[in-house]
Amino acid sequence: RDARPRRGWWTRRDANERFRRMREQYPNSENASAPTPKSFYALWDDILSLTFADLTKRVVITVSCSKAICTPENLLDVAKLVQGKL
């Protein structure tokens, strides 16, 4: 059996642990305060990512974009749109 929970079966603890592992593993990560208090930016080559956890909804989401296309502010706008659809 796959040890990962199926979609919708995550607990808050699972989501928090997943966020923590991603924060440790993503390159050049820096804490951010939005769109949720549990957010961080990461940069790999020219790919900028914004990862955030919504523990109430028990999800961790990453949005990514090339730095040639998006600014951190653009990425935050996209993340807020995604969060609003949860």
Side-chain angles (χ1 to χ4, degrees):
R1 171 169 139 32
D2 188 350
R4 293 175 296 162
R6 294 192 176 153
R7 185 165 188 236
W9 292 29
W10 287 65
T11 65
R12 286 182 183 194
R13 182 178 291 168
D14 294 332
N16 192 49
E17 177 63 19
R18 177 68 178 146
F19 177 84
R20 185 190 64 74
R21 283 193 322 266
M22 290 171 77
R23 172 72 174 84
E24 290 174 353
Q25 294 172 356
Y26 278 41
N28 305 307
S29 59
E30 294 183 13
N31 288 330
S33 59
T36 68
K38 284 200 164 280
S39 302
F40 69 88
Y41 284 100
L43 181 62
W44 184 64
D45 287 337
D46 78 326
I47 303 298
L48 181 63
S49 298
L50 175 57
T51 299
F52 65 95
D54 185 327
L55 299 181
T56 302
K57 304 267 172 110
R58 301 174 303 195
V59 296
V60 179
I61 295 172
T62 299
V63 292
S64 301
C65 189
S66 167
K67 283 179 54 180
I69 298 171
C70 295
T71 65
E73 293 79 17
N74 297 139
L75 210 52
L76 178 57
D77 290 342
V78 171
K80 287 178 178 179
L81 287 171
V82 170
Q83 183 189 24
K85 300 289 183 182
L86 297 176

